[in-house]
Amino acid sequence: MPRLFLSPPDVGARERELLLEAFDSNWIAPLGPHVNAFEREFADSVDARAAAATSSGTAALHLALVLMGVGPGDEVLIPSLTFVASANAITYVGARPVFLDSDHATWNLDPALVQEELSGRFHAGREQPAALIGVDLYGQCAQWDPILASCAHHGVPVIEDAAEALGATYRGQPAGSFGALNVFSFNGNKIITTSGGGMLTADDPALIERAQHLSTQARDPAPHYEHSEIGFNYRMSNLLAALGRAQLEGLPAKVARRRAINARYRAAFSDVDAVGFMPNAPDGEPTNWLTVITVDDPTPIREHLESLDIEARPAWKPMHLQPVFAGCAMRGGAVAEEIFRTGLCLPSGSVMTDADVDRVVDGVLHALRT
C-alpha cells in the first residue's frame, strides 16, 4: 500500500493550468500579475483590506514584528504550544518571547493568563510587552474576544498567526482577521499550498505597502538601486502565486474534506475510552487541519503506524521545553505539557479516501490491543 502522509499537497488540473499560464507568460521571477491577483483574492477571502504575498509564513511573521516596531530588548507574549517559527521570528528582531500556557477548551492561548500577565505588569509598574502573537492551533481559532480586550486595555498590539487555520472561524469571523497584522502559511503540508510561501494581511493598506517595500530589499524609488534602510528578500514568485490562486479556489472543498475526515475518526473511536480528541471550541468552526487524538502513551501507536507506512506525529513540543528557549519566561505550562505527552497527529490530508482513514483507524486499534 502507498505511504499515507500526515498532510500532503492536494493539487489537480486547475493548478497545472495556472502554473503553465504563468510559465508561458515568462513571469518567472518574484512579482507579476499572479502575485497581484493572489493578494487581492486572498485579502477578500479573509475579509482584509490588503495583503502581501511572501516567501514563507515565517517571513510574514518577521515582517509583522518589524512593522509593529518590535526590536532589541522588547518582550513578546506568545503561546508555548506552537510551531517553532512563531517564536523564532521574535528572536530575529532581537526581542525575547514570554511564553504562556494553553487552555483546555481550545488548546490555544489561555485568555485568563493573558489578562493575568498584563494586569500583573500594570500593577507592578512593569513595562508591557511590545506585542502579542496569538496562534490558531491545528486549524482552530483562539478565544479572540477576551484576548483582544485585554490587549486593547493595556495598549498591546496583536499579531494573529493563522498559519494553521485558513478557513476556520471564530464567532462567524474568519481566522486571520483579528490582529492588526495577520499571518498565513502555504507550506506543503497546509490546507492550501504554494509549495513554500505565506501571506501578511491587514486592514491598514499603509502597513501592507510598507511590508511590500521591505520585502523587496527596501529599494527606494530611483533609476538606480538606492537603499536608505535594511530590507529583505521575502516576496513570492509569480509561479507560486499562480499555484496559490488555484488552491484558493478549492479551499472550501479542502476544508470540507478535512472536517469529514475528522468526523470519521471521531465516529470510529467513539466507543474507545482510551482515545480522546482535541476539543472543538463551541464558539468557532475549525478546519481540522490536523486531527489530533490523545492517548496515555502515543509512542507505541506512532511506531506501529510507521511500520504500516503511515505517518503520524507527536503534538507540538512546547517552546518552554525546547533547549533553544531555555531560560525564557513562562507562565503556567501544565496544559501544554499534557498535550505534548498525550497528543498524536493522524493523517488528515484532503486527498485521503475513506479507505485511507479506515486503514489508519485499524492501525490505531491494533496498537491499542497489543
Side-chain angles (χ1 to χ4, degrees):
M1 290 186 178
R3 179 168 176 79
L4 290 181
F5 291 99
L6 200 65
S7 182
D10 182 355
V11 297
R14 181 59 174 162
E15 284 79 4
R16 180 180 177 84
E17 176 187 351
L18 288 189
L19 270 172
L20 288 175
E21 177 186 305
F23 180 86
D24 291 341
S25 73
N26 207 35
W27 280 97
I28 304 298
L31 305 182
H34 281 294
V35 175
N36 297 336
F38 188 31
E39 290 172 337
R40 290 194 304 270
E41 292 161 3
F42 191 88
D44 289 343
S45 75
V46 296
D47 293 344
R49 292 184 62 196
T54 59
S55 56
S56 68
T58 308
L61 275 168
H62 185 192
L63 286 170
L65 289 163
V66 171
L67 291 167
M68 290 290 97
V70 182
D74 287 335
E75 291 183 320
V76 177
L77 301 188
I78 185 172
S80 182
L81 191 65
T82 184
F83 179 54
V84 70
S86 309
N88 279 347
I90 297 170
T91 71
Y92 297 168
V93 295
R96 298 187 306 276
V98 174
F99 298 115
L100 303 181
D101 205 356
S102 302
D103 63 24
H104 282 289
T106 68
W107 290 12
N108 281 307
L109 187 60
D110 187 336
L113 291 183
V114 174
Q115 172 64 21
E116 185 179 313
E117 176 71 19
L118 298 182
S119 295
R121 287 172 179 250
F122 174 78
H123 291 298
R126 295 174 56 204
E127 186 177 1
Q128 293 291 357
L132 176 145
I133 296 177
V135 180
D136 299 325
L137 198 72
Y138 292 129
Q140 178 156 265
C141 287
Q143 298 294 295
W144 280 111
D145 281 357
I147 293 171
L148 292 173
S150 295
C151 289
H153 182 73
H154 292 283
V156 178
V158 172
I159 297 167
E160 181 182 0
D161 181 349
E164 302 176 9
L166 177 62
T169 60
Y170 170 69
R171 296 184 176 176
Q173 191 171 334
S177 62
F178 296 97
L181 287 160
N182 309 282
V183 172
F184 300 85
S185 171
F186 309 129
N187 191 34
N189 65 359
K190 296 301 190 292
I191 287 186
I192 71 169
T193 182
T194 57
S195 79
M199 192 74 76
L200 183 67
T201 68
D203 282 334
D204 183 352
L207 283 174
I208 296 304
E209 289 176 12
R210 175 79 175 144
Q212 291 168 338
H213 171 69
L214 291 173
S215 66
T216 49
Q217 300 290 16
R219 182 184 178 185
D220 294 335
H224 55 278
Y225 280 85
E226 182 81 9
H227 305 273
S228 55
E229 59 185 326
I230 299 297
F232 312 97
N233 185 17
Y234 279 172
R235 287 294 263 156
M236 181 181 285
S237 79
N238 196 58
L239 284 176
L240 298 190
L243 175 59
R245 293 184 68 197
Q247 288 274 286
L248 188 61
E249 290 176 5
L251 176 62
K254 297 179 196 304
V255 169
R257 181 56 190 158
R258 289 189 191 246
R259 288 173 176 159
I261 289 168
N262 180 270
R264 192 173 185 89
Y265 278 132
R266 288 178 182 270
F269 295 127
S270 61
D271 296 327
V272 183
D273 292 338
V275 177
F277 285 85
M278 176 182 180
N280 287 335
D283 49 4
E285 191 170 9
T287 62
N288 304 119
W289 169 55
L290 293 181
T291 289
V292 189
I293 62 170
T294 57
V295 293
D296 284 341
D297 184 4
T299 301
I301 297 175
R302 179 176 56 80
E303 291 176 346
H304 179 64
L305 291 176
E306 184 58 40
S307 75
L308 301 175
D309 219 8
I310 298 171
E311 182 184 17
R313 186 176 69 193
W316 296 127
K317 182 176 182 178
M319 292 300 103
H320 73 278
L321 300 181
Q322 299 285 356
V324 71
F325 292 114
C328 288
M330 175 69 194
R331 184 178 287 272
V335 176
E337 291 170 17
E338 179 188 358
I339 292 168
F340 172 57
R341 180 181 62 82
T342 62
L344 184 67
C345 305
L346 299 181
S348 308
S350 52
V351 296
M352 289 182 73
T353 65
D354 287 350
D356 291 334
V357 178
D358 294 343
R359 181 179 157 197
V360 178
V361 169
D362 289 344
V364 172
L365 293 175
H366 182 274
L368 289 170
R369 289 193 296 266
T370 58

